[in-house]
Amino acid sequence: MKKNLSYLIAVLVVFSLVFVSCGNNDDNSISPTGVRLNQTIAALTIGDSLTLRVTILPENATNRNVAWVSNNTAIATVTDGVVIAIDTGTADIVVTTVDSYRTDTTVIEVVLGWATSLGRASFATSQIWEISNDSISQIWSDAVQTDSCRHKMAFSGWSAGTYNVDCRSNPDQRGTLFSWQAVYELKEELCPYPWRVPTREDFRDLDIAMGGTGAFRTDPGFVNTNYINLWGGTFGGACNTSGALFSQGTWAYYWSQSSDSADGGFLLRFSSTGTINPQHWGSKFNGFSLRCVQ
């Protein structure tokens, strides 16, 4: 009896060691501590697709499976990281690790898109800005962007009714940079009805509606409170006649359709240090941003 009891105890010990050993194997698995998507926000036009890339931390995590979900499938759907834009609006695309439930989100803004001579165009985001006072009422779009430019670099002018430049991309900034001639000749395409390309007077009225004078001055507080926060402007800079970018992060330039001379057009110009000119003269051969008004 005593021997049988000793044997039983020995067997139980062996089984215990096997169980502990198996448990230790499970403990050696490494759970994800985080997950990251390659974009925090993206603007798409209806019908566009975007493939999001996932980074799981740490790199040696054992279970690297993830699940995808859209919080608004009427706006955008997602399958295995491929986002499809369905309708205008905003949707959160959320990725979650199957193990440990770590999450990250990309905000998708689906904006109006349309065909132009420069390819497909859209507003950089679907946000609008309403500016008004007792006598002035305006609605402004975000910057216009296009997916194609016939001449990207040589902002060198035009002759005999044809121009040698239309636009170029503006990396890491909202919107495309356009020559004045492209803005003027394509104004009904780049700002489709009910939007229009602003005039010199629209920029003057914008400044007045926000409490300004409509003329040149220096007022850093006004720029920050109104042109940045209220109107949503950005210091996107511009490009010169050789196509080189300049003043990014320090100056904002927005074309009007109003011409001053054969070489110059009127634009809105303001700086991070507070210089404002709602009716600035600029060379038609440079590349500036475009926002639409109605």
Side-chain angles (χ1 to χ4, degrees), residues 84-165:
I84 304 295
I86 305 299
D87 199 359
T88 56
T90 301
D92 291 344
I93 303 300
V94 182
V95 64
T96 304
T97 59
V98 173
D99 181 12
S100 73
Y101 306 108
R102 308 297 181 177
T103 67
D104 196 17
T105 300
T106 296
V107 178
I108 299 295
E109 295 184 354
V110 183
V111 298
L112 179 66
W114 59 93
T116 75
S117 299
L118 302 180
R120 193 174 180 86
S122 68
F123 298 131
T125 73
S126 56
Q127 186 173 0
I128 60 172
W129 290 264
E130 297 186 29
I131 309 296
S132 62
N133 62 11
D134 292 339
S135 59
I136 298 169
S137 180
Q138 299 176 327
I139 300 175
W140 289 87
S141 75
D142 206 339
V144 176
Q145 57 190 20
T146 59
D147 62 11
S148 176
C149 293
R150 290 171 294 192
H151 306 279
K152 297 183 180 180
M153 298 300 292
F155 275 61
S156 57
W158 57 90
S159 61
T162 61
Y163 46 94
N164 298 327
V165 62

Side-chain angles (χ1 to χ4, degrees), residues 17-122:
L17 290 173
V18 171
F19 180 80
V20 170
S21 176
C22 291
N24 285 341
N25 285 337
D26 289 339
D27 289 342
N28 287 333
S29 65
I30 300 173
S31 295
T33 58
V35 61
R36 295 175 185 168
L37 291 170
N38 61 311
Q39 292 184 241
T40 57
I41 188 169
L44 303 177
T45 57
I46 295 173
D48 284 349
S49 65
L50 172 69
T51 300
L52 295 173
R53 297 192 301 274
V54 181
T55 300
I56 297 175
L57 302 173
E59 293 183 356
N60 61 341
T62 306
N63 187 340
R64 305 178 66 80
N65 294 323
V66 297
W68 296 88
V69 67
S70 167
N71 78 332
N72 194 341
T73 56
I75 302 301
T77 61
V78 61
T79 304
D80 296 330
V82 179
V83 180
I84 304 295
I86 305 299
D87 199 359
T88 56
T90 301
D92 291 344
I93 303 300
V94 182
V95 64
T96 304
T97 59
V98 173
D99 181 12
S100 73
Y101 306 108
R102 308 297 181 177
T103 67
D104 196 17
T105 300
T106 296
V107 178
I108 299 295
E109 295 184 354
V110 183
V111 298
L112 179 66
W114 59 93
T116 75
S117 299
L118 302 180
R120 193 174 180 86
S122 68

Side-chain angles (χ1 to χ4, degrees), residues 221-253:
F222 190 92
V223 167
N224 290 329
T225 300
N226 293 283
Y227 279 109
I228 302 303
N229 296 326
L230 185 62
W231 191 66
T234 61
F235 301 112
C239 66
N240 60 23
T241 55
S242 66
L245 298 171
F246 65 90
S247 298
Q248 289 190 308
T250 57
W251 282 90
Y253 304 86

Side-chain angles (χ1 to χ4, degrees), residues 205-272:
D205 290 348
L206 168 68
D207 192 69
I208 293 172
M210 294 190 298
T213 66
F216 173 83
R217 62 198 185 281
T218 298
D219 189 339
F222 190 92
V223 167
N224 290 329
T225 300
N226 293 283
Y227 279 109
I228 302 303
N229 296 326
L230 185 62
W231 191 66
T234 61
F235 301 112
C239 66
N240 60 23
T241 55
S242 66
L245 298 171
F246 65 90
S247 298
Q248 289 190 308
T250 57
W251 282 90
Y253 304 86
Y254 293 95
W255 273 129
S256 81
Q257 61 173 288
S258 300
S259 178
D260 176 58
S261 64
D263 296 331
F266 287 101
L267 65 138
L268 166 66
R269 178 175 180 260
F270 57 90
S271 75
S272 58

